[in-house]
Every structure is written in C-alpha cells, then in structure tokens.
Amino acid sequence: MSTRSSPSRNVLATKSEGTSDAAPVSSNRGSGIRRAVLPEPLPPPSDALAAALTLLEGVASRRMCREELRSWIDRNLVHTGYMARPWRIQEPLFGALPADKHCSSFLPEIPPTDETAAILVRTRARVVGQLRGLLQSPVDDRFLSAAIFAGRVRRVVVGESMQWVPRPRSHDILSDIVTSLFVSDILGRREFYAQNLCVCDTCGRVRFDPEPPQRDKCFFC
C-alpha cells in the first residue's frame, strides 16, 4: 500500500478567452501563461501506519506467508514494545462480528485452503471494512471508540507531549491488532485522514492522496 501523492500534472496552462481557472495561480502579466499551485506533498507515514499498510499490501499481493507474518509481528509489534509475542494467531470466521457486513465484499470468492492465508484475508477484509467507515456519510468511526474502550490504544507521554500508541494484547485477534496501529495514527492526526484517506470499494486498496478523482476508487479498478 502506498502513501505516494498523485502523479504530477502539467503545471503550465494557457488561459483562453471565455474560460476560467479554478486552481490558485500566480500570473505573469503580459505573457498569457498562468502557473498552477500544486498540492503540498504528503508527510511520510508514521511507523504504525507504515506497518499496517505493509501488512494490508502484503496480503493483497499474496506475499504474506506464515513466516513473513511472524517476522512482521516481531518487527513492528514485539520489538517496538507495543505487545508481547502472541502464542497463537487467530481470526474468527465472518458472521461473528457486527461489522462483518461491511467487510464481506473484500473476501475472495474462493477461500484459501491454507490456514494462515485464510486468517490473513479475513483480517484484511475486516480492517479495510472499518476504514471505509471514515469515508461514509455520516462517518462511522465506532472502531476508534472500541479500540480505546478495550485498551488496545493508550495515551502516553513522549518527550513533552501526549501521544496515542498501540497497546494490543497477545490474545487479541489479528484484525484488532492491525486496527490498533491505524487507530493510534488516526487519533493523532484525524484531519490528515479526513483529507487524504482513500479506500477502493472494489479491491480494498488503502492509500492516501490529497487530490484523488474519487476516494472510493483506485488506479487499478
């Protein structure tokens, strides 16, 4: 999953009679050339966001296997001090959680026969389904309150400021663990998500784009 900005546009546009430019411009009088102002580049993702996007993209591209999942957990959750190493990776079947109706569209038509792959696709579907709620009208952000209430994210003092950090438990299901990474990042910069989050309704790709044609579509669908 990438957080890159949208492809660069042609910043030079000739102003013709009877037309107007919607974007802010700086004009050079007498030249007939107007220079459009490009959007500010997106900031680099936080460690929590980068880790969560890496897992989602790894599952979507079928690169995430059992050993890669264990390595991802150790690297992004255990070694960072966010949680103890889980003794078992689990994810319930669909139908067990109220939010399942928002997630089923991101499951493959034929479920994987491999247990780890099946857990991963269910995890990705649930996480993407919850993120979609931020793009709905009205916004459905109940998963944020659920994570706070369950203690899967907490506020801690970092330097001279308070920050939200993931605090999943070793017995949590995998989708809750991954969601805690997103939640800690969302709570710290809600406006960034409101302005840039994109979730494809077709493939479930999660990305960030300051000026997407549509926030519920991606370049591949």
Side-chain angles (χ1 to χ4, degrees), residues 148-188:
I148 295 173
F149 182 78
R152 288 191 289 271
V153 293
R154 296 179 186 174
R155 294 190 74 184
V156 299
V157 177
V158 179
E160 298 181 353
S161 63
M162 296 289 292
Q163 295 182 15
W164 289 96
V165 297
R167 282 292 185 267
R169 297 155 299 190
S170 57
H171 61 271
D172 283 334
I173 61 175
L174 185 56
S175 59
D176 283 344
I177 293 173
V178 178
T179 299
S180 72
L181 295 172
F182 278 111
V183 171
S184 64
D185 194 60
I186 294 169
L187 293 174

Side-chain angles (χ1 to χ4, degrees), residues 58-99:
V59 176
S61 60
R62 301 180 182 179
R63 295 194 306 268
M64 187 72 66
C65 62
R66 181 186 295 270
E67 291 305 317
E68 179 62 26
L69 175 59
R70 288 175 177 171
S71 176
W72 179 88
I73 290 174
D74 283 344
R75 184 173 61 253
N76 297 290
L77 296 166
V78 178
H79 295 164
T80 55
Y82 292 152
M83 66 179 291
R85 181 178 289 107
W87 64 273
R88 180 185 179 189
I89 304 299
Q90 55 188 340
E91 186 68 28
L93 296 173
F94 267 66
L97 299 178

Side-chain angles (χ1 to χ4, degrees), residues 41-220:
L42 295 179
S46 66
D47 291 342
L49 175 58
L53 292 175
T54 296
L55 183 130
L56 296 186
E57 183 64 25
V59 176
S61 60
R62 301 180 182 179
R63 295 194 306 268
M64 187 72 66
C65 62
R66 181 186 295 270
E67 291 305 317
E68 179 62 26
L69 175 59
R70 288 175 177 171
S71 176
W72 179 88
I73 290 174
D74 283 344
R75 184 173 61 253
N76 297 290
L77 296 166
V78 178
H79 295 164
T80 55
Y82 292 152
M83 66 179 291
R85 181 178 289 107
W87 64 273
R88 180 185 179 189
I89 304 299
Q90 55 188 340
E91 186 68 28
L93 296 173
F94 267 66
L97 299 178
D100 284 352
K101 62 182 179 179
H102 303 301
C103 314
S104 58
S105 59
F106 303 118
L107 283 173
E109 294 182 3
I110 302 177
T113 55
D114 178 76
E115 181 183 9
T116 301
I119 287 174
L120 286 170
V121 296
R122 293 200 303 268
T123 294
R124 178 180 182 269
R126 278 205 173 92
V127 173
V128 171
Q130 293 181 103
L131 292 175
R132 282 177 77 192
L134 298 179
L135 302 181
Q136 295 177 4
S137 182
V139 170
D140 183 359
D141 58 1
R142 289 173 293 177
F143 70 96
L144 301 178
S145 299
I148 295 173
F149 182 78
R152 288 191 289 271
V153 293
R154 296 179 186 174
R155 294 190 74 184
V156 299
V157 177
V158 179
E160 298 181 353
S161 63
M162 296 289 292
Q163 295 182 15
W164 289 96
V165 297
R167 282 292 185 267
R169 297 155 299 190
S170 57
H171 61 271
D172 283 334
I173 61 175
L174 185 56
S175 59
D176 283 344
I177 293 173
V178 178
T179 299
S180 72
L181 295 172
F182 278 111
V183 171
S184 64
D185 194 60
I186 294 169
L187 293 174
R189 47 178 186 164
R190 185 66 182 268
E191 191 65 24
F192 171 79
Y193 280 76
Q195 295 176 354
N196 303 291
L197 175 65
C198 303
V199 181
C200 181
D201 279 345
T202 302
C203 70
R205 183 175 295 272
V206 177
R207 74 184 200 283
F208 295 87
D209 192 332
E211 290 191 339
Q214 292 178 295
R215 296 202 179 274
D216 57 357
K217 302 294 181 185
C218 73
F219 303 116
F220 306 97

